[in-house]
Amino acid sequence: MKSNDRIIKPELVSDARTGLISRIITDGDWNWVRPDSERHNDESQKIDPGNPANYYESTLAPWMSFPPLESDTQCELVVIGGGLLGASTALHLAESGVETILLEKNAIGSGASGRNGGQLTPGLARWEAESMLENLSYQEARRLWKFTSAEAMSLIDDIAAKYSLDLDRKHGHLTAAVHPGHMSALVKAADARHSLGDHQVTVLSNYELREHIRSEIYHGGIHDDCGGQIHSLALNRGLIYGFLKNGGTVHEHSEVIRIEETPAGTRVHTPSGIVTATRGVIIAVHDDTHSLLSQDPATTLPFYTYVGVTRPVGGGNRSLLPTGTAVYDTQLQIDYYRPVRDQRLLFGGQGTGMRWDNNRTVDYLTSRLRTVFADREDLELDFAWSGTTDLTLNGATDCRKSGSRGQIYSVHGWSGHGVAQTVRIGKAITDDITGASDDFAMLAAIKHTPLFMGRQLAPVAIPLAKTLLGISTRLAPGKMISF
């Protein structure tokens, strides 16, 4: 789609349209499912079993589709991947006057960017303030923390204001301790942030936490004013909307099968067309990164995670979360949850090396939901889905600049914590290309350990790692370890 075609702003609807069918191609990696709605005896809740949309799709009005690339063309920059990182990079490039084409192998927001928990947390993947202080000089740690916290959050808010986007943006989140011993780790984390000049985090006692969460299983926690929550697919589409408004071009269903460096530029091959990029390429995907950069060793392991959304909560969400604040907990396999539209609760967690089937996904999420809110057996899921993300050994995102002329950028290893940072790193890539800042060099300087056959061994490596971590937590239950 060119900028002079009709551009539709993403629009949220009041509640999920349960009869909506997804236009996203599923290949076994992602699945959109709902539990058997017949048990509710509610004809209006039944949907076509062919390809039901997940919750995020179902709460957005019909939107644009984009034609596949079907010819050879040329531009300055090519962005591969239409998730949050790709969309943010493309937007900032277009705003800077750089001629940019974005290629997406499926539909915009079809991967983790449009299907995650929607919680905005500071930090670089699993690197929080403590990790930055342990691995960097104080000044470097302070700069990186600001980049991945205040700057990341304010950038999203600035984009939303600039393009008048409704993203269901809420501010603040909680981290709830499932063991009394975890409070010392949370206090230490808060102290690390304070030392870096961030005073947006407050330690809460058990009784103070209950003002936010109607659950008896926690032992205190912290409240983070920097974090928050957002409708991730609305954000993803909003970034693309801004990209189009600035003259960008998008092609969906245009999988990149090969990247070739030539004297004329970098040639990006799809099954039905080639784009020659005169200034460079941004690889904004995680599952295909290593196949497209075959000369670089893999540094990530893929894993599956799971999310569900309840039916409207009896008594409303405030009966569970009186202040409406998003929550993480501190168990090994974290639970996270937050209120969403029409008095529903989004609830997610877990990480596995192989994808669970639909029934196991629903059973697990329902059991965790009723563990947290033990007196609410009426809570049931209307939507549940799974998808992949990836992690690095050191917990930080792997940012690279490669190619014979340093014109190929790639970022992966989000570890399930990257909604805000993807947007900020997209701007950092643009700033590196235009010479506006050296923020990307700061990210690329972080060292990562190559993983021999890491992606192939994930189905074995992740269960083994979780078993060893589980033994460790049983031996020392007060030690906080989260996967």
Side-chain angles (χ1 to χ4, degrees), residues 42-74:
D42 184 352
E43 291 293 325
S44 68
Q45 290 293 305
K46 295 181 182 179
I47 59 175
D48 187 325
N51 191 21
N54 86 336
Y55 172 77
Y56 288 119
E57 291 179 281
S58 299
T59 49
L60 282 165
W63 198 56
M64 299 173 284
S65 60
F66 305 93
L69 178 68
E70 294 183 332
S71 63
D72 295 353
T73 187
Q74 181 174 302

Side-chain angles (χ1 to χ4, degrees), residues 196-255:
L196 293 177
D198 180 354
H199 298 281
Q200 298 184 84
V201 62
T202 305
V203 177
L204 303 177
S205 70
N206 182 23
Y207 299 104
E208 290 173 316
L209 186 66
R210 289 182 187 177
E211 296 177 5
H212 300 277
I213 311 171
R214 293 289 185 257
S215 176
E216 301 296 320
I217 70 170
Y218 301 123
H219 302 271
I222 58 174
H223 185 278
D224 185 355
D225 287 327
C226 180
Q229 52 187 293
I230 202 163
H231 192 296
S232 52
L233 185 56
L235 172 60
N236 201 157
R237 290 182 177 179
L239 295 170
I240 293 294
Y241 170 79
F243 174 53
L244 296 171
K245 296 286 283 185
N246 284 278
T249 301
V250 176
H251 293 286
E252 292 180 316
H253 306 295
S254 300
E255 181 175 8

Side-chain angles (χ1 to χ4, degrees), residues 32 36 41 43 49 78 91 123 171 210 222 224 286 288 295 305 357 398 400 426 474 483:
W32 328 126
D36 182 6
N41 260 339
E43 291 293 325
V78 170
L91 167 62
H171 293 267
R210 289 182 187 177
I222 58 174
D224 185 355
H286 60 81
D288 292 330
Q295 76 276 17
T305 187
D357 63 27
D398 185 351
R400 304 186 189 183
R474 285 193 292 271
F483 178 78

Side-chain angles (χ1 to χ4, degrees), residues 411-423:
V411 184
H412 46 279
W414 297 104
S415 299
H417 294 264
V419 176
Q421 291 70 32
T422 48
V423 179

Side-chain angles (χ1 to χ4, degrees), residues 383-456:
F383 297 85
W385 64 96
S386 65
T388 53
T389 184
D390 55 359
L391 58 87
T392 60
L393 284 184
N394 71 357
T397 301
D398 185 351
C399 300
R400 304 186 189 183
K401 186 177 179 181
S402 59
S404 61
R405 292 178 291 169
Q407 292 181 305
I408 301 176
Y409 294 77
S410 64
V411 184
H412 46 279
W414 297 104
S415 299
H417 294 264
V419 176
Q421 291 70 32
T422 48
V423 179
R424 182 63 185 89
I425 293 177
K427 184 177 186 303
I429 292 172
T430 297
D431 289 347
D432 193 74
I433 291 168
T434 62
S437 81
D438 63 350
D439 287 336
F440 192 80
M442 169 183 66
L443 301 170
I446 298 171
K447 303 300 181 184
H448 292 270
T449 303
L451 297 170
F452 176 70
M453 292 185 66
R455 301 189 73 79
Q456 290 77 14

Side-chain angles (χ1 to χ4, degrees), residues 246-289:
N246 284 278
T249 301
V250 176
H251 293 286
E252 292 180 316
H253 306 295
S254 300
E255 181 175 8
V256 174
I257 55 178
R258 184 162 60 95
I259 296 175
E260 174 190 14
E261 293 188 272
T262 73
T266 307
R267 290 165 62 87
V268 178
H269 296 253
T270 74
S272 56
I274 299 172
V275 182
T276 300
T278 59
R279 294 183 63 181
V281 173
I282 294 90
I283 303 176
V285 296
H286 60 81
D287 53 334
D288 292 330
T289 298

